[in-house]
Amino acid sequence: MGVTAVVGANWGDEGKGKIVDALAPQADYVVRFQGGNNAGHTIINHYGKFVLHLLPSGVFNQDVVNVIGPGVALNMAALLEELEGLDAAGVPAPQLVISQRTQVLMPYHKLLDVYEEERLGAAQFGSTKSGIAPFYGDKYLKLGIQVGEIFDEDALRQRLERVLPRTNFLTREYYGKPEFSVDQLIEEIAPVAEKIRPMVKGTTRMLHQALKEGKEVLLEGQLGALRDPDHGIYPFSTSSSTLAGYGPIGAGVPAYEINRIVAVVKAYSSCVGAGPFVVDLTDARGDELRERGGDDGEYGATTGRPRRVGWFDAVATKYGCMVQGATEVSLTLLDVLGYLDEIPICTAYEIDGEITTEFPSVSELQRAKPIYEELPGWKEDISHVRSFGDLPANAQAYVKEIERLIEVPIKILSLGPKREDMALV
Ligand code: GDP
């Protein structure tokens, strides 16, 4: 009973979508509480393979109410496209509600993101160019627009007239690009908004009421702990908090209701975009891990960009689990490592001649070098295994060593990309 949060403990792409899809049948509500359509959650189930960007991963369960919480960046057109994609693949229409407080990601947010990465050139952050940073920038500058406000054309016009002078100043003077016009934006937004309108509700009261009635709520995080703007590798972070602690705010549930925090942890490391990544494997071993990783190689689910990969980083993951407040871990992609004779684990960093197992500040992180221990591999396919005890002894030892290093119990193992490829520990 209560609220479970499923969140990433690494740099994102840990396989959260798969874990949420697997846990969703036990939930009444699945809520996205932060981020937008800038990352993809890959799900492979009996309907096929899907990459969800904005839709909560409970959409394959018709009894589940899926909620887009106030903390999300709502790209309305992208959401409708995703719903159409589900329909085209024969998935029955999901129950979906959007908080009236969720702010709308505007066409200018997306373009400002593109212009900024263009301007930064080689120094760019590796943004997915979905408009997320300009969106959250506007939100905290109080220049955002809540979805509940956009159905009244006069009110929307007034809001845009307030916002656009600043946006257009930036566009024109800083980026040398064409300005946005209120009329053009309204023309673009209005038809999309009409389709979204029936889904918009007061979800905070709905969720509070549901919890009073003993319903089960699952919060779905996007990206991972190391992308959190406060506790991650800022400025190579995202622009909204990726932590379970932000869940009650971004979803609209009481903080005291969260009683289970499932940190999803990857059995090796991957990091898309720029920023310090201590275990970066830049040689042929990295190329092989990238090709063998994920369900079809380690390439960004949204952008198709190759992800940087490396061995398991216990220093970063222990920290990621700590800042998530993890009560348990789901360890994913263990099957990928089945080709290796020896499997290195990064157990500590060396920084300026000092050895540490504590994740350092971002400036020190730039100078950190990985220290590895090696565990024997198991050299077999484990994707069919359904219980921890049936894993080869070396795979069991690898899981137990990770558990020892990160100091959080591992309760679920994901042993392949499909929904059923799982084992309880
Ligand atoms: P998310 O954003 O955390 O949901 O993760 P992504 O979907 O971006 O990336 C995870 C990738 O790993 C996807 O390609 C999944 O299909 C795949 N995947 C998830 N769990 C497993 C697993 O246990 N084994 C393998 N081989 N692939 C997995």
Side-chain angles (χ1 to χ4, degrees), residues 108 143 159-171 180-183 185:
Y108 47 82
L143 294 172
R159 292 289 293 143
L160 285 170
E161 276 165 2
R162 205 185 158 105
V163 172
L164 280 193
R166 183 182 178 280
T167 306
N168 278 335
F169 180 81
L170 265 179
T171 312
F180 298 92
S181 91
V182 173
D183 287 335
L185 282 168

Side-chain angles (χ1 to χ4, degrees), residues 103-228:
Q103 297 200 2
V104 178
L105 190 134
M106 293 287 177
Y108 47 82
H109 290 135
K110 211 168 142 50
L111 281 172
L112 287 174
D113 205 353
V114 173
Y115 300 159
E116 179 62 7
E117 289 284 289
E118 248 173 54
R119 187 190 70 82
L120 287 169
Q124 58 183 239
F125 289 107
S127 162
T128 58
K129 303 189 184 94
S130 322
I132 300 301
F135 167 89
Y136 283 104
D138 272 1
K139 176 169 178 173
Y140 293 106
L141 283 168
K142 292 174 279 185
L143 294 172
I145 302 177
Q146 295 190 335
V147 68
E149 291 177 294
I150 63 169
F151 308 118
D152 174 346
E153 194 180 311
D154 288 340
L156 176 61
R157 183 172 291 279
Q158 275 178 33
R159 292 289 293 143
L160 285 170
E161 276 165 2
R162 205 185 158 105
V163 172
L164 280 193
R166 183 182 178 280
T167 306
N168 278 335
F169 180 81
L170 265 179
T171 312
R172 188 183 63 237
E173 303 295 330
Y174 195 54
Y175 297 118
K177 303 283 186 188
E179 295 190 358
F180 298 92
S181 91
V182 173
D183 287 335
Q184 208 184 357
L185 282 168
I186 290 184
E187 206 174 297
E188 191 175 336
I189 294 165
V192 186
E194 271 318 299
K195 291 192 187 154
I196 292 283
R197 192 174 191 157
M199 301 176 222
V200 176
K201 296 207 166 67
T203 59
T204 301
R205 192 167 298 118
M206 175 188 81
L207 288 171
H208 279 247
Q209 188 55 37
L211 285 163
K212 276 192 190 141
E213 289 166 11
K215 298 280 197 309
E216 192 68 40
V217 175
L218 208 154
L219 306 185
E220 176 176 13
Q222 182 222 30
L223 301 173
L226 299 164
R227 299 294 187 191
D228 182 72

Side-chain angles (χ1 to χ4, degrees), residues 23-45:
L23 296 179
Q26 295 139 42
D28 300 294
Y29 296 82
V30 175
V31 191
R32 275 285 306 272
F33 63 90
Q34 45 85 217
N37 64 323
N38 49 324
H41 293 176
T42 311
I43 292 171
I44 305 175
N45 57 27

